[in-house]
Amino acid sequence: MNSNIRPDSMKRITDFDLANKFIDEQVAEIRAQVGDKKVLLALSGGVDSSVVAALLIKAIGRQLVCVHVNHGLMRKGESEQVIEVFGKELDANLIYIDATDRFLDLLKGVSEPEKKRKIIGGEFIKVFDEEASKLEGISFLAQGTIYPDILESDGVKAHHNVGGLPEDMQFELVEPVKLLYKDEVRVVGEALGLPHAMVYRQPFPGPGLGVRCLGAITRDRLHALREADAILREEFDNCGLAEKVWQYFIAVPDFKSVGVRDNKRYEGWPAIIRAVNTKDAMSATIEEIPYSVLHKITDRITHEVEGINRVLLDLTPKPIGTIEWE
Ligand code: XMP
């Protein structure tokens, strides 16, 4: 498939039969394109790059070199899942780089949201570039471009997206899912055997928890955010909201309030719950979370997470509030 235009004759992939047919065609095309050469892929663990990785592993096995850069701003367990699924279960040729210190050192004291985004995006490219230059014999670069990316931005992944790679990289592109819509990518991912949680993962901004640890990021507050977010996700899984709500997360601002714990003064940050529904992320409405669930989440976060002493609920639709706080 060289064209960037989806032919009218192409059926929407809605079931495993259609997905398996697509997979067989792509495996043959990838083999024909790549031959015995090596392909490089930045594997974030998001839906698109994960499905591309699984497809390429099926087609060319260890000729695919996956690089997973952990920028230290992933949600709890995400990098571990990439290592488990791709490194162990699928036996991928996976290079894991823990660049947490590099990113957090650069972000120290930086409070301006766009500056934080630029630092994270720029450093990601640098780390990926450094790794790529150490590898020999790479001829192709695989990308998880999907059809909406082509429709929205003429084939180039949005530049604010971490994972957007330098334009001067001299590789031929392999983009096996570029004519698929997101729902089709998910069906293909499940047909390839990827875990449901990975394939149906909610959208997560490229700069990750960096834009939810509001203001200048500190390690202790980032840790509190990650733990509180994990509790929110667990409780949403338990009560069925995870399948229903489009995007939900915690943000932690950089101010404290007075509280009391174990009969002593306990100053802590608030954890803000945001849970929204939308079709296209341009506007969003608020999910009405049952009070019993809110109480459970509040109880767990304030008891289990060091540094948090209040839980707040953001009731603001978009507009006027954006989905993310930064
Ligand atoms: P906002 O906050 O603009 O977010 O209402 C709309 C959607 O985009 C996601 N988002 C980002 N995704 N890099 C990304 O890859 C970013 O810098 C970024 N900022 C926001 C956000 O999570 C929501 O789904």
Side-chain angles (χ1 to χ4, degrees):
M1 260 187 242
N2 290 321
S3 159
N4 275 353
I5 298 167
R6 186 176 166 117
D8 288 340
S9 59
M10 195 170 153
K11 256 192 173 165
R12 191 91 172 195
I13 300 171
T14 51
D15 59 34
F16 274 18
D17 283 345
L18 290 168
N20 285 325
K21 189 165 163 277
F22 173 84
I23 291 166
D24 290 345
E25 283 164 12
Q26 284 307 312
V27 164
E29 281 199 32
I30 291 164
R31 286 182 183 152
Q33 185 187 2
V34 170
D36 59 2
K37 304 261 172 43
K38 282 193 195 161
V39 183
L40 180 64
L41 170 72
L43 177 59
S44 68
V47 182
D48 306 334
S49 68
S50 295
V51 172
V52 166
L55 203 47
L56 278 147
I57 290 166
K58 193 174 170 82
I60 57 168
R62 293 179 67 87
Q63 279 165 252
L64 173 73
V65 182
C66 301
V67 176
H68 176 70
V69 177
N70 179 357
H71 51 24
L73 304 164
M74 309 290 281
R75 285 176 295 193
K76 189 171 180 176
E78 278 183 330
S79 284
E80 291 81 354
Q81 189 185 39
V82 169
I83 294 169
E84 181 62 34
V85 172
F86 291 98
K88 295 189 184 151
E89 288 169 27
L90 295 177
D91 192 30
N93 197 347
L94 172 68
I95 299 173
Y96 169 70
I97 303 154
D98 184 353
T100 303
D101 288 341
R102 277 179 71 157
F103 281 85
L104 295 188
D105 286 351
L106 277 175
L107 288 163
K108 206 177 258 173
V110 182
S111 56
E112 213 264 299
E114 284 311 298
K115 206 163 163 200
K116 286 166 72 178
R117 272 198 174 73
K118 281 208 180 95
I119 289 173
I120 297 166
E123 192 62 9
F124 182 91
I125 288 172
K126 238 168 126 182
V127 174
F128 187 79
D129 241 357
E130 280 172 23
E131 276 319 299
S133 67
K134 286 185 208 159
L135 299 167
E136 286 188 0
I138 301 282
S139 312
F140 297 87
L141 184 71
Q143 277 196 329
T145 311
I146 66 172
Y147 204 45
D149 298 328
I150 291 177
L151 295 178
E152 282 160 24
S153 57
D154 206 24
V156 184
K157 272 234 157 190
H159 278 183
H160 70 259
N161 207 345
V162 171
L165 297 169
E167 276 153 18
D168 59 358
M169 271 197 163
Q170 295 301 313
F171 298 119
E172 191 181 318
L173 291 180
V174 181
E175 298 178 298
V177 298
K178 71 177 177 183
L179 295 185
L180 300 192
Y181 291 99
K182 194 81 167 190
D183 51 296
E184 299 179 285
V185 177
R186 293 197 159 116
V187 180
V188 168
E190 286 219 290
L192 283 162
L194 290 177
H196 183 85
M198 188 173 244
V199 169
Y200 283 88
R201 208 173 90 150
Q202 55 170 319
F204 185 55
L209 298 181
V211 292
R212 298 177 182 171
C213 190
L214 310 178
I217 298 167
T218 57
R219 285 175 194 251
D220 52 356
R221 197 157 50 86
L222 180 63
H223 179 73
L225 163 62
R226 183 176 284 118
E227 295 299 319
D229 187 69
I231 291 173
L232 177 77
R233 286 198 283 151
E234 219 175 287
E235 292 305 325
F236 267 38
D237 274 336
N238 290 342
C239 71
L241 279 173
E243 298 280 323
K244 186 175 166 235
V245 182
W246 197 81
Q247 194 171 10
Y248 51 95
F249 56 86
I250 297 279
V252 177
D254 58 350
F255 59 80
K256 288 187 170 179
S257 69
V258 177
V260 55
R261 183 184 272 184
D262 302 328
N263 293 322
K264 280 196 221 95
R265 182 183 171 100
Y266 185 76
E267 289 187 8
W269 304 289
I272 301 163
I273 299 173
R274 185 132 177 86
V276 300
N277 291 310
T278 175
K279 272 202 158 48
D280 54 11
M282 300 297 285
S283 63
T285 55
I286 297 303
E287 174 69 24
E288 300 209 353
I289 309 167
Y291 262 86
S292 56
V293 176
L294 289 170
H295 284 305
K296 176 93 192 284
I297 292 167
T298 303
D299 191 58
R300 284 198 59 196
I301 291 180
T302 51
H303 283 89
E304 294 174 33
V305 182
E306 183 62 39
I308 304 269
N309 68 351
R310 287 173 200 262
V311 175
L312 315 182
L313 176 63
D314 184 351
L315 286 173
T316 322
K318 175 181 181 177
I320 188 166
T322 48
I323 294 176
E324 302 291 343
W325 269 57
E326 287 192 336

